[in-house]
Amino acid sequence: MPALSPTMVDGKYVKWLKKEGEEVAVGDALCEIETDKAVVTMESNDDGVLAKIMGTGNRLRLSPAARHILDTHGMDPRLATPTGPRGLITKEDALNLLKGSPAARAAPAAVPAGPAPSALAPPPPPPPPPPPAPGSRPNVPPLSIPGKPGSPGTFTDLPASNIRRIIAQRLTQSKTTIPHAYATVKVSVNDFVIKAAAVTLKEMPEVNVTWSGDGPRALDSIHISIAVATEKGLITPIIRDAADKGVQEISATAKPARRWDGGGVVVVVEECYCRLTV
């Protein structure tokens, strides 16, 4: 199989577009191949006749519903005619196979004759389960029951494409071969609000102004003042050059102010004169 992409290592035949014995010209689409990136079409490099198809996709692709139906009735999925994309056996394909099976056709005749429905007495309702004793654990059903697909806790193997397989391999490789470092930083929402207000003033300098007698005056510095209510009144400690500080540094600077009021902090942008309240 030729390499259809620079990173292709292996591929899988998805669908043949030519039949055995059919004439093939240069540039004709021969088949669809699933690589590690996408499903691509392989073209013929020569003129000739397709003598025999040697490589075929030997993996059946079933939807979860189709797999459940076929497993429940013990039917061979290879007998189904796939109509889904790239040879996928859908739920309708499984139902069509089930309808055409001899067991399904003979099922109505195998039903024994019985008394009329009116003569049948309805079964008594099951008694309600007793209430659980106080402090006892709830009655949890078993996670899985052998021979009963679809029970709680069971699983279904889904067909994985080469693309998803390569993604899983690369993610696992990056997690296991690259050193990782984790750090826990305790910051508050108010710290992010302070940082956001400062960055907004930096990106919109026309807002970072104050009014003088001659008109607006643009300011070069961005200081954020946090209004803190105390028992003796309002204090406004200032975080200078907040736009150039990180959130963790802002948190460390504003932490003493939070201890004064128990955390109720209101952000006010200020440079001698109050210009913006967040």
Side-chain angles (χ1 to χ4, degrees), residues 97 101 154 209 249:
L97 178 62
S101 64
T154 61
V209 296
E249 188 177 359

Side-chain angles (χ1 to χ4, degrees), residues 74-92:
M75 304 192 68
D76 189 355
R78 292 176 293 182
L79 301 177
T81 302
T83 60
R86 301 203 300 268
L88 177 69
I89 299 177
T90 63
K91 175 183 177 181
E92 289 73 18

Side-chain angles (χ1 to χ4, degrees), residues 47-121:
D47 298 334
V49 177
L50 183 59
K52 188 174 181 60
I53 297 177
M54 300 299 296
T56 58
N58 52 10
R59 173 185 289 186
L60 293 176
R61 303 181 68 250
L62 292 84
S63 67
R67 184 183 297 273
H68 174 69
I69 293 173
L70 297 177
D71 290 346
T72 301
H73 294 84
M75 304 192 68
D76 189 355
R78 292 176 293 182
L79 301 177
T81 302
T83 60
R86 301 203 300 268
L88 177 69
I89 299 177
T90 63
K91 175 183 177 181
E92 289 73 18
D93 301 333
L95 293 176
N96 292 334
L97 178 62
L98 182 62
K99 292 177 183 178
S101 64
R105 289 194 297 266
V111 177
S118 58
L120 295 177

Side-chain angles (χ1 to χ4, degrees), residues 237-254:
I238 296 175
I239 300 178
R240 300 186 178 275
D241 300 322
D244 300 329
K245 288 183 171 63
V247 177
Q248 188 175 3
E249 188 177 359
I250 291 175
S251 177
T253 306

Side-chain angles (χ1 to χ4, degrees), residues 21-26 28 44-51:
E22 189 174 352
E23 293 185 357
V24 179
V26 175
D28 286 353
S44 175
N45 296 326
D46 300 299
D47 298 334
V49 177
L50 183 59

